[in-house]
Amino acid sequence: MLGRIEGRYDVVVVGGGPAGLGAALGARDSGAERILVVDREPETGGILLQCIHSGFGLHHFKEELTGPEYAERFLERVVDHDIDVISGSYVSSVGIDSDGDKHVRILREGRGISTVESKSVVLAMGCRERTRGAVRIPGTRPSGVLTAGLAQKLVNMMGMLPGKRIAILGSGDIGLIMARRLTLEGCEVVGVFELMPYSNGLTRNVVQCLEDFGIPLHLSTTVAQIHGRDRLEKITVAPVGPGFVPDLSRAWEVECDTLLLSIGLVPENELSQSLGVELDVITRGPRVSSSMETSLPGIFACGNVLHVHDLVDFVTEEALKAGRFAGEYAQGIRRPKDNITLVPGNNVRYCVPHTLAPGREHTIYMRAKEPMKPCLIKVGDLMQRKLGFVVPAEMIMFKIKPDVLDRFHGDTLRIDILPYEKEGGR
Amino acid sequence: MSQVEKFVCIGCPIGCPLQLTHEGQEIVEIEGASCNRGAKYARQEFTDPRRGMSTTVWIDGARWKRLPVKVSAPIPKDRVLEAAGEIHKLRVEAPVKRGDVLLRDFLGEPGVEVIACRTMARE
């Protein structure tokens, strides 16, 4: 833990989760010298610290780790690389002066406000959970309605159980994981209710977190009403018809004292917006170039603040890359501007990065709007790849080889996911 | 008399519906898999289903009240709840280091340990 912080840095990273730590290592890798990570929590590691289940690191560490193990192993490398890390600290603003230098204002617990100068900044603030307000569930406002991730922190770190009889709205992975977690802690999980006709979590989690414990998953069903004055007493759930409108004629009531919401994550971009960084309306994260640079020169972004990931291993890879480019920028290396804009086409919800440049290898992250199998990913007329399936819950990642774009002379490139019939397939 | 057991493969997000036909303990046929991982999974699930497990235990003298722990190898699926109950009887004292062994030959399974998943300093 650092005492005083002052002076000039090459790279300041905002956020000490997997994205921030990865970016710091990437920056060091590029040769940047003075690197600072600022984290608002009492210790770095981000959301990994409360994700005590296994399944992290298969790509990056080539073994299956729990969240805390992944975080600790990563942090050890950051410490080995002599990177300054301050926790319990909050970046309240970033200003850019006429020379392009960034002035990062930091509020530190018990130490007041200080300002450091930096040549580049990496935004790695992560995301936060959507709450009841985001889906407007009718009814009273009792205690016992909380987000699944908050419940995860209460149970796994603070030693508190949110209730005894639990219902879960939304079948995202956090919701499924918490269904198992609370069952192991002796709670009764009465059901998981999912608006969509398919689960938003990985099949593995549906099987191992719900089916193993006999927890019912109700698809195309939502919570139509919340009941209870001081404490949650019951919920009304109903199947949904066309347009996701609850069919109250087929509704039923479920007694529970706790409702966990696992209804999606939103990138946390207040700081980015105050800076004037241009955001993508779909990802709700910054628009970035192929060097992970936002619309403002010298400001980079990676991890869940950019777009919500489902695997921390992908966050790490993206963050190392963003850190490397931020470190290059700090050393005065300027790459030519990207000249190709990617456009999401058929069944593509979004793709990141938003622009590309020829002559380099690119990693594209994207998500489908609807499940489709089998299918074909088409990048303009330049390349295509067959996939056995796509589902919205699983991010699609693929690489574009350096020479592929050399044949392209337009300025917009469309990516489509199209249905594809296997010859003689089953 | 042959009987049928159904599984959903967890090898990847496709989630192939698997049908395992057996006569007593003998597997006759496995259908529904679109790759060879499916058959392997169904066979394992039928003969000896196992699960990894992680949970938390009370820790005194640390920043947080719970220490994350895991079993070092998969345990029989039908003993997961029993395992959680056993582990929850533990109460440890900070400092703890990642990899510290809290229980050995857990549930009478030789070589299976309960280990700490993170380091927690004494505060």
Side-chain angles (χ1 to χ4, degrees), chain A residues 43 72 76 212 389 394, chain B residues 13-14 51 64 98 118-119:
Chain A
E43 58 184 347
E72 198 168 305
E76 282 165 0
D212 274 7
F389 65 94
E394 177 154 298
Chain B
I14 293 183
R51 296 287 184 264
W64 303 104
R98 186 179 87 234
R118 64 165 289 181
T119 301

Side-chain angles (χ1 to χ4, degrees), chain A residues 32 43 48 53 102 113-114 117 128 149 166 168 175 189 220-221 233 250 271 274 313 317 365 382 389 397 404:
Chain A
E43 58 184 347
L48 283 171
H53 52 279
K102 283 78 187 169
I113 295 173
S114 48
E117 237 178 80
R128 61 169 164 252
I166 322 273
I168 300 175
V189 179
S220 297
T221 305
E233 286 165 11
R250 289 154 63 209
L271 181 67
S274 75
D313 298 78
E317 189 184 336
Y365 299 96
L382 299 178
F389 65 94
M397 183 194 82
V404 170

Side-chain angles (χ1 to χ4, degrees), chain A residues 71-384:
Chain A
E72 198 168 305
R73 286 174 65 157
F74 219 80
L75 188 61
E76 282 165 0
R77 287 169 54 189
V78 169
V79 172
D80 283 348
H81 283 76
D82 197 24
I83 290 162
D84 292 349
V85 178
I86 52 168
S87 45
S89 305
Y90 187 84
V91 172
S92 61
S93 70
V94 177
I96 306 173
D97 68 22
S98 53
D99 296 330
D101 286 335
K102 283 78 187 169
H103 299 260
V104 182
R105 181 165 280 227
I106 303 168
L107 191 59
R108 292 185 74 190
E109 200 169 351
R111 293 174 197 258
I113 295 173
S114 48
T115 304
V116 297
E117 237 178 80
S118 185
K119 291 181 186 135
S120 57
V121 168
V122 182
L123 304 172
M125 293 89 76
C127 60
R128 61 169 164 252
E129 299 181 277
R130 295 213 303 162
T131 58
R132 178 177 173 183
V135 288
R136 301 190 185 178
I137 309 167
T140 55
R141 305 187 67 81
S143 71
V145 182
L146 64 163
T147 58
L150 174 59
Q152 192 177 43
K153 184 169 185 178
L154 291 173
V155 175
N156 291 347
M157 298 177 79
M158 301 171 78
M160 290 186 266
L161 288 178
K164 293 191 176 108
R165 255 180 87 84
I166 322 273
I168 300 175
L169 175 61
S171 65
D173 287 309
I174 311 175
L176 300 177
I177 297 272
M178 282 312 292
R180 173 175 63 187
R181 190 69 198 100
L182 289 164
T183 305
L184 291 183
E185 290 290 343
C187 302
E188 187 187 354
V189 179
V190 293
V192 176
F193 304 93
E194 169 58 54
L195 181 70
M196 303 302 286
Y198 47 84
S199 163
N200 272 312
L202 301 173
T203 315
R204 176 192 179 88
N205 285 334
V206 174
V207 173
Q208 298 200 343
C209 299
L210 301 187
E211 290 174 14
D212 274 7
F213 300 98
I215 300 167
L217 170 63
H218 302 272
L219 296 173
S220 297
T221 305
T222 194
V223 176
Q225 183 105 26
I226 285 172
H227 309 266
R229 189 170 175 275
D230 297 319
R231 180 74 196 191
L232 178 64
E233 286 165 11
K234 62 183 178 185
I235 54 176
T236 304
V237 296
V240 293
F244 301 113
V245 179
D247 178 359
L248 293 177
S249 68
R250 289 154 63 209
W252 75 98
E253 288 181 345
V254 177
E255 271 182 42
C256 55
D257 59 19
T258 303
L259 175 64
L260 298 189
L261 305 175
S262 175
I263 51 177
L265 303 164
V266 185
E268 196 159 332
N269 272 298
E270 284 74 13
L271 181 67
S272 326
Q273 280 177 299
S274 75
L275 261 162
V277 162
E278 198 184 319
L279 300 187
D280 177 327
V281 292
I282 302 293
T283 61
R284 304 230 232 160
R287 289 180 61 85
V288 288
S289 73
S290 58
S291 0
M292 313 309 285
E293 193 175 19
T294 67
S295 57
L296 298 178
I299 308 274
F300 298 78
C302 59
N304 283 350
V305 80
L306 182 56
H307 58 128
V308 176
H309 296 61
D310 31 55
L311 282 183
V312 71
D313 298 78
F314 288 179
V315 170
T316 295
E317 189 184 336
E318 188 181 272
L320 286 167
K321 186 162 92 172
R324 273 184 216 116
F325 285 117
E328 273 190 5
Y329 185 94
Q331 295 166 78
I333 300 167
R334 298 287 180 273
R335 289 175 178 270
K337 262 197 162 350
D338 288 355
N339 53 4
I340 301 165
T341 303
L342 281 180
V343 180
N346 189 66
N347 198 22
V348 178
R349 206 162 102 77
Y350 72 78
C351 39
V352 170
H354 296 77
T355 58
L356 301 178
R360 262 192 295 142
E361 184 176 271
H362 295 287
T363 306
I364 310 292
Y365 299 96
M366 56 187 259
R367 270 185 206 278
K369 288 182 185 164
E370 303 284 339
M372 197 184 266
K373 66 176 181 179
C375 57
L376 195 66
I377 296 184
K378 268 189 78 194
V379 183
D381 295 322
L382 299 178
M383 60 178 278
Q384 53 185 47

Side-chain angles (χ1 to χ4, degrees), chain A residues 58-73:
Chain A
L58 280 170
H59 295 258
H60 191 73
F61 288 108
K62 308 289 177 223
E63 60 181 295
E64 194 168 349
L65 303 170
T66 63
E69 290 172 310
Y70 190 102
E72 198 168 305
R73 286 174 65 157

